[in-house]
């Protein structure tokens, strides 16, 4: 209720927020979570909570009147369609030089992501979080995060035999014939459930094209892991469809938190205030950065330092497709859950996940999302005239990523005698260089915050999400975000609570 006082308020319900809520609640501390997106716990008229990738409806996008599919063309034709404006689950947030895809709803990115749960190679960790003790991370916090997330791996025998991973086996063959290490990648998807889907004994999700706009079954999203355990403590309340707009010191101590209640068209139906003794910023790299930059610039949190808003990167994301020969079909049946990648990080600065293209028809295409060592870092700034936060990323900054991804695919194309697809991102466009799925940074650890995510100058304020990580994790980021949150909350509990 408006005007209430709470001991801890967590902004956002993604990985960082869910870890904070669970561990605080386990320690006996009541937690209030505020989430701008919907709860995603109620089926629509079709009996499903989420819509499929091939039939996007109002549930697909956050407040758009037209879909904005990451792969927006096929054989040169645009595939986007009109939809009713609604607080859908996937936000394609547009900045001047990049579209940043993010999950909206209770569970954050876990609602829409591929669930690829990759722990970085230890030799790369110093480049990911240079001021964090790697020994502790690899002995305690990465294992804790993997257990909490329910990470598992595809059964190798099933992988070899199922038609649903033919595309990944083709990807392996091509990687290996060019001498690249091919690695299996763990995932939070329930692999036993997927095998049951293939056997036809349960409703299909990964095998029915569900992913980008949510999985109705099979995926261990945060709703089914950390947030379920947090709710079971009886100490965690979650308020969906409320967007935090301000956090400022309260006169009697603690912080006044302002929020807007939204309806499903995105209209503000009420504004509310409450007081929190402590606040965790867990609104994701973009959400937390936008809030902190605005609050510093407008004087609400004047003592935040000048590092706020800096150090933002796209995890080097770049996409491409290759056209295979007719004797290398990738299959009309494709699981939406990727399970393998090509590791050329050390030699070429690229780790490419072999991604599905689940169109239901044979495309003879191999599709890849590469994570690359892109060195560019962008900054969020407050645009007072427009009343919004801008990001100064430039599309041309993807060029190093393209060069790094080419260290893999030029060689594969040369070995196989194949070419890039030029029809997936626009006519005659090879590279998907306009987007990222992996925003990171903006409130970097030991720069904008101290070594545990405390915001200096404002006791009781913490950052605990992907904004702590300086722009790149060398692999998909969710496990590292979770493990860092586990580390920080474990160290904060005995000292600050
Ligand atoms: P988020 O998970 O983004 O959570 C932040 C939450 O805060 C959101 O729910 C948001 O709605 C809410 N919020 C924001 N602002 C406010 C506000 N002002 N008030 C209230 N609430 C607010 N990573 C992997 O490791 N493996 C993958 O396979 C993978 N695939 C991906 C596929 C897609 C399509 C996308 C979009 C992402 C993918 N990712 C993947 C990335 C991963 O999901 C993110 O890195 C991760 O979710 C970030 O976690 P977080 O805790 O920092 O924030």
């Amino acid at each position: 209720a408006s005007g209430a006082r709470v001991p801890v308020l967590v902004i956002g319900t993604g990985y960082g927020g869910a870890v904070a809520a669970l561990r605080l609640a386990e320690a006996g501390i009541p937690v209030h979570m505020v989430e701008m997106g919907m709860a995603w716990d109620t089926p629509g008229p079709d009996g499903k909570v989420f819509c499929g990738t091939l039939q996007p409806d109002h549930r697909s996008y956050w407040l758009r009147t037209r879909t904005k599919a990451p792969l927006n063309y096929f054989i040169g034709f645009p595939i986007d369609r009109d939809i009713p404006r609604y607080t859908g689950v996937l936000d394609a947030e547009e900045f001047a030089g990049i579209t940043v895809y993010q999950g909206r709803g209770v569970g954050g990115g876990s609602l829409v992501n591929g669930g690829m749960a990759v722990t970085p190679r230890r030799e790369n960790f110093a480049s990911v979080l240079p001021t964090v003790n790697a020994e502790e991370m690899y002995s305690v916090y990465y294992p804790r995060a993997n257990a909490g997330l329910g990470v598992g791996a595809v059964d190798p025998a099933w992988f070899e035999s199922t038609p649903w991973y033919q595309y990944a086996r083709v990807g392996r063959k091509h990687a290996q014939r060019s001498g690249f290490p091919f690695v299996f990648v763990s995932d939070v998807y329930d692999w036993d459930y997927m095998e049951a889907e293939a056997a036809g004994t349960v409703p299909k999700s990964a095998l029915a094209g569900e992913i980008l706009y949510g999985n109705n079954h099979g995926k261990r999203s945060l709703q089914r892991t950390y947030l379920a355990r947090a709710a079971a403590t009886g100490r965690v309340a979650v308020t969906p469809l409320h967007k935090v707009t301000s956090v400022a010191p309260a006169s009697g101590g603690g912080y006044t938190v302002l929020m807007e209640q939204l309806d499903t068209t995105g209209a503000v139906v009420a504004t509310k205030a409450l007081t929190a003794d402590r606040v965790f910023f867990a609104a994701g790299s973009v959400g937390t950065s936008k809030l902190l930059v605005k609050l510093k610039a407008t004087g609400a949190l004047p003592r935040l330092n000048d590092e706020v808003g800096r150090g933002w990167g796209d995890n080097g994301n770049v996409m491409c497709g290759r056209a295979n020969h007719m004797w290398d079909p990738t299959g009309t049946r494709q699981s939406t859950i990727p399970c393998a990648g090509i590791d050329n990080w050390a030699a070429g600065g690229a780790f490419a996940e072999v991604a599905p293209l689940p169109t239901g028809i044979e495309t003879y295409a191999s599709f890849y999302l590469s994570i690359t060592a892109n060195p560019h870092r962008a900054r969020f700034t407050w645009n007072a005239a427009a009343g919004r936060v801008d990001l100064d990323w430039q599309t041309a900054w993807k060029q190093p990523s393209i060069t790094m991804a080419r260290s893999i695919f030029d060689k594969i194309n040369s070995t196989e005698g194949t070419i890039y697809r030029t029809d997936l991102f626009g006519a005659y466009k090879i590279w998907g260089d306009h987007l990222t799925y992996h925003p990171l940074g903006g409130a970097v650890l030991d720069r904008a915050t101290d070594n545990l995510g405390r915001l200096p100058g404002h006791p009781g304020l913490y950052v605990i999400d992907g904004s702590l990580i300086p722009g790149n994790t060398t692999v998909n980021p969710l496990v590292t975000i979770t493990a860092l949150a586990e580390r920080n909350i474990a160290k904060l509990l005995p000292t600050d609570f």
Side-chain angles (χ1 to χ4, degrees), residues 244 246-258 272-276 279:
V244 171
S246 180
V247 177
S251 47
Y255 294 88
T256 302
V257 180
L258 301 182
K272 299 182 182 174
L274 58 72
T275 309
V279 178

Side-chain angles (χ1 to χ4, degrees), residues 11-17 34-37 70 90-91 101-110 112-118 187 212 222 242-245 282-285 287-288 291 338 353 369 436-440 464-467 475-479 481:
I11 308 170
T13 56
Y15 294 95
V34 179
E35 168 57 52
M36 69 193 269
L90 183 66
D91 194 355
Y101 284 86
Q102 297 154 87
R104 293 278 174 250
V106 176
S110 79
V112 299
N113 67 24
M116 291 180 77
V118 195
D187 201 281
L212 209 46
L222 289 167
H242 281 61
K243 180 179 182 179
V244 171
T245 55
S285 163
T288 292
L291 272 173
E353 80 183 46
L369 168 62
T436 185
Y437 285 175
H438 299 165
L440 292 166
I464 192 156
D465 59 17
S467 53
V475 291
N476 315 62
L478 80 82
V479 177
I481 294 169

Side-chain angles (χ1 to χ4, degrees), residues 385-403:
R388 60 154 199 263
V389 174
D390 292 333
L391 178 67
D392 68 0
W393 182 271
Q394 299 172 29
T395 308
W397 290 359
K398 287 279 194 186
Q399 191 54 51
S401 293
I402 293 173
T403 304

Side-chain angles (χ1 to χ4, degrees), residues 17 78 87 90 100 120 127 142 145 148 171 196 198-199 267 281 329 340 361 366 385 392 399 408 429 435 457 483:
T87 46
L90 183 66
V100 184
S127 76
Y142 274 117
F281 289 84
I361 55 168
S366 287
D392 68 0
Q399 191 54 51
I408 296 175
K429 188 161 162 37
L435 75 149

Side-chain angles (χ1 to χ4, degrees), residues 350-367:
F351 174 89
E353 80 183 46
V354 179
L357 205 55
T359 57
I361 55 168
E362 180 55 58
T363 61
Y364 300 97
S366 287
F367 181 55

